[in-house]
């Protein structure tokens, strides 16, 4: 007998989860309920280096077809206009030599994205990645449309409807009532309804845990412009701003900009003025403000509901973790279901503990960016440098400050960290955090 799973929400999170479950969970029928009236979030997205292998491996998306219809741009890493250096890079390929030794014109063992030639063309043009490890810059609307098409091609069911009511009981969600009056039941539900958290939050009452004590930004003002003669940058750019930071994501025809800021230190109008002043090609009348809170759901799997995407948690997109986190959670959920998780509360508990540790790992990695960014002396940055806690990375940073760079130490993040030893070290070296009896170039 087939198990019925309903996914509520048809954005990136819901569709990646639905495709993952359809392809990896035998004897499972998956239905996605989403409302086209709600639209999609019209921003550019950047991915981690591991995301393409998930899209084309686990999800089975053909590369050539994806390149032709979504037309992503190659992303080889992140450039940070951050800290005392003019800039530093977080590349997806070689970051350090084996012994962390200084060279003549570089920081200790650190490699720059300038050393990679090419990569400044869309994937549909080149057809082949310019480096071994790469990510994508993707426009959200064609990406979601492609995921819908791929899901339907796998036999998945798509319903265009709004959930009007969620009926709950001892087992969790018992029934979804649509705005048409139709009623849907299932063996399991995936809440991918975004910040609304319709099932796990409103339906089951699971609370969110704030991360505002580590991450102080809570709004973004978003805009962009049509590309003119600018070269396509094969990396995401992060600029330090007066009360936060600004991303730049390049697409073939559009350049996307977003200023993530703390509303306690700057108003929406002031943030918009700063963004336009530093990016005069932006049409000020087209800007929009997106509020958010850095948070994660206390338990992402409650009874017969698992939350994914923004319904599970959200952190500012400082290192483009969003899509990769969705992929990792979807794969972990599928493994648990295949192991008997629908009827095994121990598996749900293991899942919850693993996801919580991952949110803490991401939170602490992002906190590193704030704690040591002394580029500006505005009130926001003085506060961030002074007050940002390092959480689980506190021991690692103390070890670095005492003994200098070390790639292999259990203090660098948690087991299974998304960022690895060299990821944390890239920030400390890039931000020129000194160590005793050593200094830094």
């Amino acid at each position: 007998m087939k198990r019925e799973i309903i996914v509520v929400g048809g954005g990136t999170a819901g569709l990646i989860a639905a495709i993952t479950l359809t392809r990896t969970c035998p004897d499972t029928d998956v239905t996605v309920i989403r409302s086209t009236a709600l639209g999609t979030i019209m921003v550019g997205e950047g991915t981690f280096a591991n995301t393409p292998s998930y899209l084309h491996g686990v999800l089975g998306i053909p590369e050539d077809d994806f390149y032709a219809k979504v037309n992503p741009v190659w992303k080889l890493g992140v450039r940070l206009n951050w800290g005392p250096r003019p800039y530093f890079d977080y590349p997806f390929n070689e970051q350090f030599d084996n012994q962390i030794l200084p060279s003549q014109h570089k920081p200790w063992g650190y490699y720059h994205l300038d050393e990679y030639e090419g990569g400044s063309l869309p994937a549909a043009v080149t057809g082949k990645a310019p480096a071994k490890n790469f990510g994508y810059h993707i426009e959200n609307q064609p990406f979601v449309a492609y995921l819908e098409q791929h899901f339907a091609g796998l036999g998945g069911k798509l319903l265009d409807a709004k959930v009007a009511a969620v009926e709950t009981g001892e087992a969790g969600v018992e029934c979804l009532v649509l705005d048409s009056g139709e009623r849907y039941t299932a063996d399991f539900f995936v809440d991918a309804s975004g910040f609304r958290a319709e099932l796990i939050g409103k339906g089951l009452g699971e609370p969110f845990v704030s991360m505002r004590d580590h991450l102080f930004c809570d709004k973004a003002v978003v805009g962009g412009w049509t590309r003119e003669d600018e070269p396509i940058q094969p990396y995401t750019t992060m600029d330090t701003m007066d009360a936060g930071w600004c991303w730049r994501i390049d697409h073939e025809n559009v350049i996307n900009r977003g200023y993530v800021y703390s509303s306690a230190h700057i108003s929406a109008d002031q943030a918009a003025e700063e963004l336009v002043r530093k990016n005069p090609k932006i049409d000020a009348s087209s800007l929009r403000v997106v509020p958010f809170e850095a948070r994660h759901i206390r338990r992402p799997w409650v009874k017969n509901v698992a939350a994914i995407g923004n319904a599970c948690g959200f952190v500012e997109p400082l290192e483009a973790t969003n899509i990769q986190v969705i992929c990792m959670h979807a794969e972990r959920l599928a493994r648990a279901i295949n192991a008997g998780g629908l009827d095994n509360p121990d598996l749900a508990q293991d899942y919850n503990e693993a996801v919580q540790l991952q949110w803490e790992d991401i939170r602490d990695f992002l906190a590193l960016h704030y704690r040591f960014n002394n580029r500006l002396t505005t009130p926001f940055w003085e506060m961030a440098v002074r007050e940002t806690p390092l959480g689980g990375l506190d021991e690692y940073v103390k070890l670095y400050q005492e003994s200098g760079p070390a790639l292999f130490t259990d203090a660098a993040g948690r087991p299974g960290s998304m960022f690895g030893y060299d990821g944390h070290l890239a920030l400390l070296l890039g931000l020129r955090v000194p160590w005793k009896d050593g200094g830094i170039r």
Side-chain angles (χ1 to χ4, degrees), residues 18-204:
I19 296 168
T20 300
L21 295 172
T22 298
R23 281 181 52 84
T24 62
C25 293
D27 300 320
T28 297
D29 282 336
V30 182
T31 298
V32 172
I33 300 176
R34 53 82 170 103
S35 173
T36 55
L38 295 176
T40 56
I41 300 174
M42 298 296 291
V43 297
E45 295 188 85
T47 77
F48 247 44
N50 294 337
T51 307
S53 63
Y54 192 90
L55 297 178
H56 306 304
V58 177
L59 300 190
I61 293 174
E63 290 184 2
D64 292 346
D65 191 51
F66 184 75
Y67 295 164
K69 294 176 180 176
V70 180
N71 197 22
V73 167
W74 305 115
K75 175 182 175 181
L76 303 183
V78 180
R79 171 155 294 177
L80 293 102
N81 298 315
W82 214 267
R85 302 184 188 280
Y87 67 86
F88 71 94
D89 292 335
Y90 185 108
F92 291 154
N93 287 271
E94 298 92 345
Q95 294 184 34
F96 304 98
D97 65 23
N98 290 332
Q99 298 180 9
I100 322 290
L101 296 176
S103 58
Q104 186 175 1
H105 301 294
K106 305 172 189 173
W108 283 52
Y110 194 65
Y111 289 80
H112 289 281
L113 290 165
D114 292 342
E115 297 175 8
Y116 297 99
E117 297 180 358
S120 58
L121 291 173
V125 175
T126 63
K128 184 178 180 181
K132 178 182 178 181
N133 298 315
F134 62 91
Y136 294 136
H137 285 163
I138 305 174
E139 293 184 71
N140 182 265
Q141 190 172 26
F143 183 48
V144 170
Y146 189 94
L147 292 175
E148 276 200 4
Q149 168 200 308
H150 187 62
F151 176 60
L154 294 172
K157 303 170 189 174
L158 280 165
L159 291 179
D160 189 3
K162 290 182 180 180
V163 174
V166 179
E167 297 181 358
T168 62
E170 284 191 16
V173 171
E174 293 185 345
C175 179
L176 300 179
V177 182
L178 306 187
D179 53 0
S180 64
E182 294 178 278
R183 300 170 65 85
Y184 278 82
T185 60
D187 299 299
F188 195 78
F189 298 85
V190 176
D191 188 348
S193 62
F195 293 123
R196 301 186 309 279
E198 297 282 359
L199 308 188
I200 202 159
K202 294 179 181 177
L204 297 183

